[in-house]
Amino acid sequence: MPFCLHNYRFFVRLNSNRTLPCPIRHARFTSLTVQSRATISSEPAMASNSVRVAAAQMTSINDLAANFATCSRLVKEAVAEGAKLVCFPESFSFIADKDGESVNIAEPLDGPIMQQYCSLARESGIWLSLGGFQERGSDDAHLRNTHVVIDDCGSIRSSYSKIHLFDVDVPGGRVYKESSFTEPGKDIVSVDSPVGRLGFSVCYDLRFPELYQQLRFQHEAQILLVPSAFTKITGQAHWEILLRARAIETQCYVIAAAQAGKHNDKRESYGDTLIIDPWGTVVGRLPDRISTGIAVADIDFSLIDSVRAKIPIAKQRKPIEFWKSTSL
């Protein structure tokens, strides 16, 4: 059994009122090509009140082994950059070529597919955000689109099943009916991590700001995770503006790992993996919108505190009862 360092801890300041215990890790360094990451600074050192994260971009196909090999390579690059968390896009492990394939390969979270990724996290000494995974549903005809976070000891810390399903007639594109084979989730999920308190979502959830309001104001999230596989058409129109809006209105970092490029003859994703700060500024981005690689940025806890202190919307927002009593 590999030795885990969770018993040896230091504390990272999250905000003015609380701290989070984090595992001590020594950074590992491997080679990384310039084309496969976003440039954030010429200086490798991080500020004392910050921690580094990475967001992966890839073009998944209907080959579990090939996708795992891509994820493994990107994890190595993230570790070399000193990241404590690397986020992967929706359908990171598999994108179907034919109807029914996703349901057929769906497994429980303790199945061999997810256990491979747990081993990858443990062996690499890094937290993984994996969303959404094809988790087996309540019957043979359905799955759950599940966002999973694994810690650096290879343990699943929490999981979230996508609430808002993609039943959409894309203008000039295909008709999608995710609900025909996917069970919607019911629970809002957040979890503490070495990079802050994480709020979970998946792709189409992005269009429903109520979820992110709950994550910020009820669950105290500092980082919103939005793993996605936006279509090319909807991505061109709405991707960046929606992500920046969620960051601004919640005063959270947003990490949006994206599927990119052509997966098969019928499906193409927009790409443009982004990391956005609480002021709405893009701080991490790949130089090529559809290339495979990682975007890297530092989560600055003092910036979160500063933005929230100067524009104190948490204190100024009205409770739901106020709006119920207001005449229209």
Side-chain angles (χ1 to χ4, degrees):
M1 175 180 257
F3 178 64
C4 181
L5 294 177
H6 273 311
N7 291 329
Y8 299 88
R9 298 175 182 264
F10 64 93
F11 287 86
V12 169
R13 176 68 58 180
L14 294 187
N15 56 42
S16 58
N17 297 318
R18 67 188 183 95
T19 57
L20 170 69
C22 297
I24 295 175
R25 287 281 181 184
H26 294 290
R28 307 177 190 178
F29 296 92
T30 57
S31 61
L32 176 69
T33 57
V34 173
Q35 290 80 7
S36 65
R37 63 176 293 270
T39 301
I40 58 169
S41 172
S42 59
E43 295 295 329
M46 291 182 288
S48 60
N49 199 31
S50 67
V51 63
R52 188 156 293 174
V53 297
Q57 183 166 286
M58 61 190 296
T59 309
S60 295
I61 57 175
N62 64 337
D63 185 326
L64 290 164
N67 295 330
F68 181 74
T70 299
C71 290
S72 297
R73 175 170 62 84
L74 296 176
V75 165
K76 289 180 180 179
E77 294 185 1
V79 170
E81 288 296 299
K84 300 301 180 185
L85 166 74
V86 58
C87 302
F88 284 93
E90 183 182 28
S91 303
F92 63 97
S93 62
F94 189 86
I95 283 186
D97 191 22
K98 300 176 183 177
D99 292 343
E101 280 186 335
S102 292
V103 174
N104 290 338
I105 63 96
E107 289 185 355
L109 297 185
D110 60 358
I113 298 174
M114 185 54 65
Q115 290 309 302
Q116 243 188 333
Y117 287 90
C118 289
S119 296
L120 177 62
R122 182 177 63 251
E123 292 164 5
S124 305
I126 193 169
W127 285 56
L128 302 181
S129 163
L130 306 170
F133 175 71
Q134 291 91 355
E135 181 186 9
R136 184 175 295 167
S138 60
D139 59 56
D140 292 339
H142 292 85
L143 55 78
R144 296 186 185 92
N145 192 340
T146 301
H147 183 172
V148 181
V149 166
I150 303 171
D151 68 21
D152 57 355
C153 286
S155 299
I156 294 176
R157 280 301 182 96
S158 197
S159 64
Y160 158 83
S161 293
K162 184 179 182 182
I163 292 174
H164 304 96
L165 302 183
F166 192 54
D167 291 359
V168 172
D169 183 354
V170 175
R174 290 175 51 192
V175 175
Y176 294 84
K177 191 75 172 178
E178 188 177 14
S179 65
S180 66
F181 62 91
T182 306
E183 298 173 356
K186 298 178 180 179
D187 298 321
I188 299 173
V189 178
S190 60
V191 68
D192 282 325
S193 80
V195 303
R197 188 160 181 82
L198 308 174
F200 291 51
S201 67
V202 178
C203 199
Y204 192 54
D205 284 330
L206 180 60
R207 294 183 181 273
F208 301 88
E210 303 90 345
L211 171 61
Y212 301 93
Q213 295 286 307
Q214 288 288 315
L215 286 169
R216 160 71 207 278
F217 298 111
Q218 302 302 319
H219 290 252
E220 299 184 351
Q222 296 167 298
I223 302 171
L224 304 175
L225 305 179
V226 193
S228 298
F230 257 54
T231 70
K232 184 177 181 181
I233 293 171
T234 57
Q236 287 174 333
H238 304 144
W239 173 247
E240 182 176 337
I241 195 168
L242 284 171
L243 290 168
R244 294 180 70 184
R246 297 297 89 84
I248 293 165
E249 68 196 10
T250 63
Q251 300 172 322
C252 289
Y253 277 89
V254 170
I255 305 177
Q259 290 284 349
K262 283 203 163 190
H263 308 281
N264 51 55
D265 291 339
K266 297 183 294 184
R267 184 165 177 181
E268 182 176 5
S269 295
Y270 178 67
D272 199 18
T273 288
L274 297 174
I275 304 173
I276 301 166
D277 75 15
W279 192 246
T281 303
V282 174
V283 293
R285 184 178 225 155
L286 281 159
D288 183 339
R289 179 175 60 80
I290 61 171
S291 65
T292 295
I294 59 171
V296 180
D298 293 343
I299 302 299
D300 184 345
F301 300 118
S302 62
L303 177 62
I304 298 174
D305 292 345
S306 175
V307 170
R308 293 180 179 185
K310 292 177 179 177
I311 306 181
I313 58 174
K315 297 177 181 178
Q316 297 167 337
R317 64 193 297 267
K318 304 301 181 186
I320 189 65
E321 291 76 16
F322 172 86
W323 300 110
K324 288 180 179 179
S325 63
T326 301
S327 59
L328 298 178

